[in-house]
Amino acid sequence: LIAAVSAAAVLSAAPALAAIQTEYSDAQLRSFASAMVQVRAAAPTDGSAPSPEQQAAMASAVEASGLTPDEFNALAVRVSS
């Protein structure tokens, strides 16, 4: 999960902690979980920075989930804390 959160960070800057939502709907959580699986699959496994192609695949996975990059990153922060 830590690698996925790091990979997600390249999509956009994480929102300020004060702006992080504290409650999420079941649909948002399902969307996040689905996107996270795909983000992790696209992320480099060796800890290196993602290539432009990998970044595009991660962004596409988040977009396809229906979440914005900020929503995805906020959820990733919440999950990792």
Side-chain angles (χ1 to χ4, degrees):
L1 179 61
I2 293 171
V5 171
S6 297
V10 301
L11 296 175
S12 69
L17 288 178
I20 294 177
Q21 191 174 331
T22 58
E23 293 186 23
Y24 297 92
S25 69
D26 287 344
Q28 287 173 306
L29 295 173
R30 280 192 295 274
S31 293
F32 172 77
S34 176
M36 182 60 83
V37 168
Q38 295 198 15
V39 165
R40 288 188 70 171
T45 57
D46 62 1
S48 64
S51 69
E53 294 81 13
Q54 290 168 318
Q55 288 178 328
M58 290 185 284
S60 179
V62 171
E63 183 179 307
S65 76
L67 297 172
T68 67
D70 283 343
E71 290 169 329
F72 178 86
N73 288 335
L75 270 159
V77 167
R78 293 285 298 167
V79 168
S80 67
S81 62

